[in-house]
Amino acid sequence: MGPSAAQLRRLKPLYQLVVNNILAVVAVPLAAAVLLKAAELGPEEVLARARALRPAHMFLAVFLPAAAAVLYLMLRPRAVYLVDYACFRTNPNCRVPFATFLEHSRVWPGFDERSVRFMTRLLERSGLGEETCLPYAQHYIPPSPDLESSRAEAELVIFSAIDDLLAKTKVSPQDIDILVPVRADAVLHRHDHPPVQPPQGRAERAPRRDGVQRRDDLRGGARNLLQVAPWGARALVVSTETITPNYYMGRERAMLLPNCLFRMGGAAALLSTDGANARFRLARVVRTLRGASDSAYRCVYQEEDDSGNVGINLSKDLMNIAGDALKANITAMGPLVLPASEQLLFALSFIARKVLNNRIKPYIPDFLTAFEHFCIHAGGRAVIDELQRSLKLSDEQVEASRMTLHRFGNTSSSSLWYELAYIEAKGRMRRGDRVWMIGFGSGFKCNSAAWECIRPAPNCRRALGQLHPPLPRPHPRRAQALTVIPFLPPPIKSNRCNSDWIKLMVEAS
């Protein structure tokens, strides 16, 4: 009779301990054997055998390992660190409850009753709460998606996030060496920054935001630029979602979905190769781009409908394409971050499926052995549900993603920083903890970044202070009642509820 599943689960920690420390398991017995043999021979015999070696052998035995170590240190990439980050906090007067959103939609003649009913169902199932925000241009009737309003929204989000970041890090704008924002020229003009000089022999390239292109790969671009910049250089990275120019005012269902999901938000991060005051270390970055496929390229596409209204068309194949991109990204990310025990189990499963029987269920690696925290792109409730199921994550591990979607909506790649701020605000981040950020973007792309915490936030509420205004101190009796609030809310079929419980949960913690 073979071992049961419960017995195998009890043996798995021992298996992981042995395989993950295989070098120590092999090296310690070998070192002990060498020491025992040397003690048996005696000091005189050992010295006599050492003197009998040729000088060339002695030279190679010392020089080759030293030369290999020096060559490795010279050629390895520089470590990139996250000095700090700041998330944009939207003004309360930008808040758009469901009732306001639907009322404006009914008044606007571009939407018929059928479109309003469709958006009502989307909002109820989206996972968004009542405190998500839209830019000022969307509060007018009719909305004003003109160039000036778009520029005002972008500057409000970008400049506010950058100002908060510079205040937190106490870094002068003149000390920034590399700019990787969505509007580098506007940032230079506002902060009176001197002209940016590209590295010698390289042309200056300023990334831009066109249409709905998301800058999920900004971290990788900044990392590459920091490799060729002088040591200690600083790179300013800005991620944002611009709503105003992409707000759709037609009746195509596939183009109405972004109106219900995308909301106002942004974040700024300061990267450097100097880890003196850094809070996180960038361990890995893996980028997967599926732009060669026509279906993947057009699954998130800005275009006009039959009436000439411009909007974002989300293809019905979006989830399948996103799943394929995620699978390719995880396949490339796994060998870089998973411990040897998980890689060995996956390799054995792969061989068994190819050699023995293809019907054998493939082994899904346990990414909980590689990461303590997960920041999943808050693209929608379906995206979070699918990733939770695929990676076998618990409700607590996807809580940051769900709460970010509930409070801020889909803010593109900046949602990952809101999630990181939520984790730190709850006091869960510890030194040495590893964080996995997974982002999606049009194109279609899926990008992953692995971070290692060096220094948690000194105050667990510091990160949340960037997102929520200070709350009044509750009455002592009410404070006692708050301590019994469940860790996670019960599943809700409709999100037409007041999201004050999020604030109360943070207060109770």
Side-chain angles (χ1 to χ4, degrees):
M1 182 177 178
S4 63
Q7 292 175 336
L8 292 176
R9 282 196 296 268
R10 285 195 294 268
L11 291 175
K12 189 172 182 180
L14 178 61
Y15 160 77
Q16 292 175 343
L17 179 65
V18 172
V19 176
N20 293 340
N21 300 279
I22 189 65
L23 292 179
V25 172
V26 174
V28 170
L30 288 179
V34 170
L35 291 176
L36 290 175
K37 185 65 177 179
E40 180 183 347
L41 294 175
E44 294 80 5
E45 182 66 19
V46 172
L47 291 175
R49 293 190 178 188
R51 293 191 186 98
L53 294 175
R54 295 181 180 180
H57 294 166
M58 294 290 292
F59 175 77
L60 292 177
V62 176
F63 175 76
L64 285 183
V70 172
L71 190 63
Y72 168 76
L73 294 175
M74 292 178 60
L75 297 181
R76 70 172 181 174
R78 295 175 181 171
V80 176
Y81 301 92
L82 172 66
V83 180
D84 215 330
Y85 65 97
C87 300
F88 170 69
R89 184 179 64 189
T90 315
N91 293 329
N93 56 358
C94 292
R95 188 172 65 92
V96 182
F98 289 175
T100 302
F101 182 87
L102 296 175
E103 180 184 0
H104 284 206
S105 301
R106 287 190 176 93
V107 173
W108 170 242
F111 300 134
D112 56 8
E113 187 60 29
R114 181 169 173 267
S115 300
V116 174
R117 289 198 303 268
F118 177 70
M119 289 190 289
T120 302
R121 293 195 300 270
L122 286 178
L123 287 174
E124 292 177 349
R125 304 172 184 175
S126 64
L128 273 68
E130 298 280 358
E131 295 190 8
T132 59
C133 297
L134 286 174
Y136 294 111
Q138 309 307 323
H139 291 259
Y140 298 118
I141 302 177
S144 57
D146 54 84
L147 180 59
E148 188 62 31
S149 300
S150 304
R151 182 183 293 113
E153 178 200 350
E155 292 179 353
L156 173 64
V157 176
I158 294 172
F159 294 161
S160 299
I162 292 178
D163 290 343
D164 289 344
L165 177 63
L166 296 180
K168 289 173 62 175
T169 58
K170 297 181 175 57
V171 173
S172 172
Q174 283 70 29
D175 295 331
I176 303 297
D177 303 286
I178 299 172
L179 286 174
V180 198
V182 290
R183 288 195 60 198
D185 51 350
V187 175
L188 291 173
H189 180 266
R190 174 180 173 82
H191 292 282
D192 194 22
H193 196 286
V196 177
Q197 298 297 331
Q200 187 67 27
R202 294 177 180 268
E204 179 181 1
R205 299 181 63 184
R208 297 174 58 248
R209 178 186 180 85
D210 298 323
V212 293
Q213 184 175 2
R214 297 172 178 82
R215 288 297 172 182
D216 299 313
D217 56 347
L218 287 178
R219 291 179 298 274
R223 180 195 59 173
N224 296 336
L225 291 174
L226 286 171
Q227 297 300 320
V228 298
W231 183 86
R234 298 184 178 93
L236 177 62
V237 179
V238 179
S239 300
T240 184
E241 174 66 29
T242 306
I243 303 296
T244 303
N246 301 314
Y247 194 80
Y248 177 65
M249 294 183 290
R251 301 181 182 181
E252 290 290 335
R253 289 195 171 191
M255 303 172 75
L256 287 172
L257 181 59
N259 290 1
C260 302
L261 285 180
F262 289 95
R263 291 296 184 263
M264 190 178 183
L270 184 62
L271 304 180
S272 177
T273 49
D274 183 4
N277 299 316
R279 299 190 50 226
F280 291 86
R281 181 181 66 87
L282 182 59
R284 300 287 182 181
V285 174
V286 175
R287 293 179 287 179
T288 302
L289 181 60
R290 295 288 189 174
S293 169
D294 291 339
S295 59
Y297 180 72
R298 297 184 64 90
C299 67
V300 183
Y301 202 73
Q302 185 180 37
E303 60 185 12
E304 293 183 350
D305 62 7
D306 296 337
S307 302
N309 298 308
V310 178
I312 311 303
N313 193 334
L314 300 183
S315 170
K316 62 181 180 180
D317 300 326
L318 175 59
M319 293 303 297
N320 294 333
I321 294 171
D324 293 340
L326 176 64
K327 182 179 179 181
N329 188 269
I330 291 179
T331 302
M333 187 74 168
L336 302 177
V337 297
L338 286 172
S341 59
E342 292 298 314
Q343 296 191 44
L344 179 59
L345 288 176
F346 180 78
L348 293 177
S349 172
F350 180 80
I351 294 174
R353 283 171 53 81
K354 293 295 184 182
V355 176
L356 300 178
N357 188 353
N358 198 32
R359 295 181 180 179
I360 297 177
K361 188 177 180 180
Y363 176 74
I364 305 300
D366 184 8
F367 280 91
L368 300 180
T369 60
F371 300 100
E372 286 75 28
H373 307 286
F374 297 84
C375 296
I376 300 172
H377 180 85
R381 192 175 67 177
V383 175
I384 300 174
D385 289 344
E386 182 63 24
L387 280 171
Q388 181 181 8
R389 185 192 61 81
S390 301
L391 300 178
K392 299 180 180 179
L393 304 179
S394 65
D395 290 338
E396 180 181 348
Q397 288 158 344
V398 298
E399 179 187 345
S401 301
R402 295 193 188 279
M403 295 303 100
T404 297
L405 178 65
H406 185 274
R407 173 60 181 85
F408 300 100
N410 184 350
T411 61
S412 187
S413 57
S414 63
S415 64
L416 303 176
W417 300 104
Y418 286 97
E419 295 168 22
L420 183 60
Y422 181 90
I423 295 172
E424 292 200 283
K426 298 292 289 183
R428 300 173 185 169
M429 190 67 66
R430 299 290 185 269
R431 182 176 181 179
D433 282 2
R434 296 155 297 179
V435 185
W436 187 8
M437 289 184 174
I438 308 175
F440 297 95
S442 59
F444 185 86
K445 65 176 73 70
C446 175
N447 300 322
S448 293
W451 300 90
E452 181 183 353
C453 180
I454 300 174
R455 177 173 54 88
N459 183 355
C460 67
R461 301 179 189 274
R462 174 186 175 189
L464 196 69
Q466 301 296 323
L467 311 180
H468 298 277
L471 298 177
R473 193 170 186 82
H475 190 273
R477 293 184 180 177
R478 176 131 180 99
Q480 293 178 2
L482 293 178
T483 59
V484 299
I485 293 180
F487 185 75
L488 274 177
I492 51 177
K493 298 181 180 179
S494 173
N495 290 296
R496 290 177 174 271
C497 60
N498 195 318
S499 60
D500 287 342
W501 65 270
I502 301 179
K503 300 178 182 178
L504 298 180
M505 253 182 21
V506 175
E507 279 295 311
S509 66

